[in-house]
Amino acid sequence: MSLEASLAALSIEQVTSENPVALKTLVFKPKTAKTATPIPIIVLALQSTSTPSGLIASSANVKDPRLAKDDLVEQFFQTSTKKFSFINITKNHSSKVKILIDSNINSNDSYEIINEDSKVVVKGSSILSYLNSTEVEIINVDFSIAPTSTSTPSQQSKPNKIEKDTKAQLEGAKLVGVTVDKFLDFPGWYQQILTKGEMLEYYDVSGCYILRPASYFVWEQIQDYFNSAIKKLGVRNAYFPMFVSQKVLEKEKDHIEGFAPEVAWVTKAGSSELEEHIAIRPTSETVMYPYYAKWIQSHRDLPLKLNQWNSVVRWEFKHPQPFLRTREFLWQEGHTAHFSFEDSNEEVLQILDHYDAIYKDLLAVPVIKGKKTEKEKFAGGLFTTTVEGYIPATGRGIQGATSHCLGQNFSKMFNISYEDPEGKEDKLFAWQNSWGLSTRVIGVMVMIHSDNKGLVIPPRVSQNQAVVIPVGITAKTSKEEEIAILDGAKKIEKELLAAGVRAVGDYRSNYSPGWKFSDWELKGLPIRLEFGPKDLQNESVTVVRRNDSQKFTVKLSELSTEIPIILDNLHNDLYNKAKELFDTHKVVVEKWEDFVPALNAKNVILSPWCGDIECEEDIKDASAKRNDGEDEEVDDKAPSMGAKSLCIPFDQPTLKPDTKCVRCGKEAINYTLFGRSY
Amino acid sequence: MSLEASLAALSIEQVTSENPVALKTLVFKPKTAKTATPIPIIVLALQSTSTPSGLIASSANVKDPRLAKDDLVEQFFQTSTKKFSFINITKNHSSKVKILIDSNINSNDSYEIINEDSKVVVKGSSILSYLNSTEVEIINVDFSIAPTSTSTPSQQSKPNKIEKDTKAQLEGAKLVGVTVDKFLDFPGWYQQILTKGEMLEYYDVSGCYILRPASYFVWEQIQDYFNSAIKKLGVRNAYFPMFVSQKVLEKEKDHIEGFAPEVAWVTKAGSSELEEHIAIRPTSETVMYPYYAKWIQSHRDLPLKLNQWNSVVRWEFKHPQPFLRTREFLWQEGHTAHFSFEDSNEEVLQILDHYDAIYKDLLAVPVIKGKKTEKEKFAGGLFTTTVEGYIPATGRGIQGATSHCLGQNFSKMFNISYEDPEGKEDKLFAWQNSWGLSTRVIGVMVMIHSDNKGLVIPPRVSQNQAVVIPVGITAKTSKEEEIAILDGAKKIEKELLAAGVRAVGDYRSNYSPGWKFSDWELKGLPIRLEFGPKDLQNESVTVVRRNDSQKFTVKLSELSTEIPIILDNLHNDLYNKAKELFDTHKVVVEKWEDFVPALNAKNVILSPWCGDIECEEDIKDASAKRNDGEDEEVDDKAPSMGAKSLCIPFDQPTLKPDTKCVRCGKEAINYTLFGRSY
């Protein structure tokens, strides 16, 4: 029976809606004893909601749920997995199956139900009331809420169910530490290291997160570097309001179109309704440019170069992810106006070099500089340059920061013009740039360097660079020796501080050295200095690197010179390791048949390409496997989304004459970097 | 006829409303030729709206409007000024009087109409439709919109009407410069120096302003100083989300009560209504403390000291004022949790000292440290300490920054508790502080130092500290000499930069030195260096101080040592001048009969006081003249609002035994500082 027919049979009304939200209905099979019949778990969720098996397991109180195959679906619902939808659930299933409903589904919205045969749109209220009528057990699940975790070592609380039930659980992992494997459950791992490592806290407004001192410190180092760099370019910092009136926001239609669905609106103050609704900036072009038009009257008012550090709000409805996709995020946005294209073009590239330097010199992250394709550039601008990173664990590319040449599009729209000093033209329009880098950089840094022991923070952005821990104190240690060790450790801490090393000492008496090692490893401190009886005797200290456990013995007399060198080497080694992984996973593919296999092997791909938008869209479709983001039971680790163009790298392989586009066979115009991406 | 009777006669319905907005109806008499009959201008505005006569003049196209006396009102409306209200306007007045309506008045709200006899509440729609029915000319006026002004010297536009019509216009003032007098029209002057001095720009969302580089630079200097100071105290920076869910915001009823009417609510994202309305933080106690409760489990987790630099939103409905009362403002808010009262108390005072230092050492502003009275302290806290400033031009006090000891009120509310390390108590609650300083400081600095030539920015926070201007080049100057002067000026600029002085050179050929002097004076640069033929000959340069035009001759060989000294002396002189004005206007008053006259003489008052809230409220009432904020025709410069307590200064005069409270005659417990205030 088709969906339409089924709906009609059940008296469920189809509706028309311009923007129905796509739903997916999934059947999971939990792990059971071999002799038992598994009872399916149904998940009804937004297409865009990610439904990790750990959360399904804990919510439904079952073990190891995996997508069910046809046999189980046939047995219970008399249909196949591809034809299954919520209307296959009937009163017959009450007190048998459980249904988990994504808490994002509500009565008011309209939803698109798709199966192999057909597509229908129904009201949320129809779905919910139908399901209620079946008397099947319904469990409401907020898939966006990550499991809470203990965040301080002093809270010896138990791990929650999700951790216990996940296959990716690390063997022998201490419960206060990271309990899931980076390569088996990357999202679970990412969340754990951020929260347990005290970088970030989940917040009770979905999509918003607390940046704890460890992550805000990274941001402060970036601010210091970038402020100093741009001030040399004549850029000055300013602050523009977070609010934009509706009429101003909507002035530049092309530009705002991309942001409109995500704009947060203030409609009330106290108990008063506002006469005009006021938007919170998703970005500040429309906030700033009317005033640029006012301030720029003569060529002497150029260049005008302003930057601001602020937060912007984009009310994403997709699954949020700390640092990478958040509803409020911190960034800097630079907006400059120039006399000529040449001036603006020069600045675009200067800024891109500074973004490159932030990644390389502060975060130890390699990126590739290049230009965005027409499809991926900033809407309304002339061209966009970008630095693109690579996350080895998932094989996905990630946009690092962008520097746009806006051309004269915005200056014509906002009338940012001035008298022609030569008197030839009626008026001349300014050439504009904008450029931005956000706290997303922190997420990239964490994903690349950290491991199953926790965070690994590169030394230049780590709020604490070294921890000093007294060791080797046992029941047999004399009081004098104990005091000598403690005093020695404190002296080391002081000397490091005096040498400009951000050091901290851990003299807590209620924890063993081993426990402390794990605790500071979790927090990602670059090095620890162990000071014990032997070190006391030898006037030296043992230094252990967080990233690879390399040990060194350093003479106490050489602390102030040796430790900074160790930290710098550590930075370089982090960078080089990440660079090698990027280099070996950036593969040149000339033929389409090698494209998807290379993607599936966690690579980003450099291919000769024709430059056509249609071809780019075709590449994306042809390289995607499933669109609902769910993994199949058989191959549950294969990524499935299509490849996007990441950039046209400035550093190009030689394009031989007559090279054809990897996808469409037309003449290639350059090598373009493609990849699955964040 | 009473208001009620008049309304009934006109079939205007009275309504009941919990929060009606108070209205005022004012009659103004414009200046006319002696032989002509003046035609009254009616202003119908919110009680809280300030209605400057300049704006009335330009809106109604009349000259010099002043509050009308009884005779004119009687002549036109057959009633007295005190009985006059909007219902006295009838069809008889059409094509005679004009009525200016405050654009804040809208159809939906309810308004309280008060005259000598009675008080009624009617809907906005009733008022507006009645006035429409009279066919009198209605002019809608946005009293919150300041007149636009030219902000760059290259825009040689004409002054607007408001300036021309204002009595306070400076004689001989250049139109691009400040055209109103600081002491005759303080608000007009303040607005002009901020916008023409390029510190601030008015923005199209009311109550929001653009902080241009000159003012944001001040804020950056404060950030640098304060970050360094608090990091030494162990405070770390963090960032918490700007959003608060409704249920969390409303958790602490007492605390939020004061903010509730000013909270901005996000109710929509894109085109979707949000299920739960989300507030923008008016302050972050409710944002942060639930997480403090999570993070603090043991006494080892204390102290927890976090600070954040962010913006908060308080949707004030009162007349906004740049820096002093804005709907969004930048601040820092520190929130710390301590083991004991002693620890928290110590920190409260350390922070207050840093606030004092920011005023004194960076902004050259004297403040008085003290404690707030029970009435004025932070709601929900234990006690509030404050630094209080004084604005000589208006004789008003101004709160500079506050450091609160919260006691255990919030920790009990949010359960910020930990195990008793001694095992005596079930659990112990943390002692908390919070402390904040906002961009209001910039307004205080500007109001105190600046003058009729424009801004005066103290050197330590001025983005440019010195401008070098070549002078004395005339038609008779040889080409060689001209080049030598220009090169000499550029060399001075370079040497200053090398000596760490933030210098800039003005080598524009299309402006005269005199024009440049005025331009840089407008912007408030601390010193200018004039370099001309004589200076060239003498190997020296002429230095002129912005604040008092003092001139010095400095040897070129001594630039790098002398200029920093000149800047430091300038800072000290600014501070000392302001301090002297504060000291001479801080008068001790022991008897009530001297109180109001002292206030009217632009003083703040140190009086023996009993400490009772009722007495404080009584002092406020008894020292106010009129409450609607309008000046009388006769004495139109007399301030009229009541005095509030500013603080109980730490530095107390000796309180002799049996000294009585200045107002109520009960035993005085201390000397308290009172004043009209911002």
Side-chain angles (χ1 to χ4, degrees), chain A residues 10 66 166 206 229 238 268 284 344 371 385 394 427 505 545 561 657 660:
Chain A
L10 295 166
R66 288 286 173 261
T166 300
S206 173
K268 240 175 73 177
S284 299
S344 68
K371 200 174 147 180
T385 65
T394 57
K427 57 181 176 182
R545 307 212 304 188
T561 50
K660 302 298 178 209

Side-chain angles (χ1 to χ4, degrees), chain A residues 201 203-204 211 220 231 237 239 242-243 245 263 265 267-268 270 275 291 294-295 300 328 510, chain B residues 106 201 203-204 211 220 231 237 239 242-243 245 263 265 267-268 270 291 294-295 300 328 510:
Chain A
E201 185 72 69
Y203 186 67
D204 92 312
L211 301 194
E220 287 183 309
K231 284 182 180 180
N237 286 331
Y239 188 80
M242 71 154 80
F243 295 118
S245 68
V263 169
W265 290 97
T267 68
K268 240 175 73 177
E275 278 185 44
Y291 299 90
K294 180 174 178 191
W295 298 332
R300 290 193 185 82
E328 179 193 7
N510 59 326
Chain B
N106 62 60
E201 185 72 70
Y203 186 68
D204 91 313
L211 301 193
E220 288 182 310
K231 282 180 182 184
N237 285 331
Y239 188 80
M242 70 155 81
F243 295 118
S245 67
V263 169
W265 290 98
T267 68
K268 239 176 73 175
Y291 299 90
K294 181 176 176 187
W295 297 331
R300 291 194 182 81
E328 180 192 4
N510 59 323

Side-chain angles (χ1 to χ4, degrees), chain A residues 148-364:
Chain A
T148 51
S149 62
T150 59
S151 55
T152 55
S154 57
Q155 291 171 257
Q156 299 268 12
S157 71
K158 288 155 200 82
N160 57 36
K161 266 195 186 150
I162 297 164
E163 291 170 11
K164 267 206 292 194
D165 291 345
T166 300
K167 245 191 179 169
Q169 189 179 347
L170 289 171
E171 293 213 9
K174 291 187 198 120
L175 300 183
V176 292
V178 181
T179 61
V180 291
D181 184 272
K182 181 174 184 180
F183 292 88
L184 295 181
D185 177 5
F186 188 74
W189 167 85
Y190 181 59
Q191 177 222 310
Q192 277 206 6
I193 59 164
L194 289 177
T195 54
K196 294 190 175 188
E198 299 187 8
M199 255 208 149
L200 176 134
E201 185 72 69
Y202 280 71
Y203 186 67
D204 92 312
V205 173
S206 173
C208 296
Y209 304 91
I210 298 164
L211 301 194
R212 300 186 70 179
S215 55
Y216 197 78
F217 187 88
V218 178
W219 192 235
E220 287 183 309
Q221 302 319 298
I222 292 171
Q223 289 184 314
D224 283 352
Y225 169 86
F226 195 65
N227 271 331
S228 155
I230 61 177
K231 284 182 180 180
K232 282 182 196 137
L233 296 177
V235 178
R236 295 174 303 162
N237 286 331
Y239 188 80
F240 286 74
M242 71 154 80
F243 295 118
V244 205
S245 68
Q246 188 160 7
K247 65 173 184 296
V248 170
L249 183 70
E250 289 168 357
K251 185 168 183 178
E252 220 297 46
K253 292 273 178 207
D254 278 357
H255 163 64
I256 208 60
E257 200 172 300
F259 295 110
E262 296 171 1
V263 169
W265 290 97
V266 175
T267 68
K268 240 175 73 177
S271 53
S272 314
E273 297 289 331
L274 299 184
E275 278 185 44
E276 195 195 12
H277 292 180
I278 290 175
I280 304 177
R281 61 179 163 220
T283 173
S284 299
E285 281 77 4
T286 55
V287 171
M288 297 167 82
Y289 295 170
Y291 299 90
Y292 279 44
K294 180 174 178 191
W295 298 332
I296 295 169
Q297 300 289 327
S298 150
H299 67 282
R300 290 193 185 82
D301 300 323
L302 292 173
L304 177 61
K305 303 183 183 186
L306 300 182
N307 176 66
Q308 54 176 339
W309 297 93
N310 59 19
S311 78
V312 291
V313 172
R314 298 176 188 174
W315 207 266
E316 300 255 13
F317 288 94
K318 286 184 223 163
H319 192 57
Q321 195 156 23
F323 296 119
L324 301 200
R325 190 186 297 127
T326 64
R327 285 177 171 175
E328 179 193 7
F329 59 88
L330 300 178
W331 74 347
Q332 60 65 221
E333 49 177 328
H335 296 263
T336 60
H338 303 261
F339 193 65
S340 67
F341 168 73
E342 289 69 27
D343 291 352
S344 68
N345 190 43
E346 186 189 359
E347 187 199 70
V348 163
L349 298 175
Q350 285 169 329
I351 295 293
L352 198 71
D353 282 344
H354 288 307
Y355 289 158
D356 183 40
I358 287 171
Y359 274 102
K360 184 174 177 183
D361 299 335
L362 295 180
L363 309 176

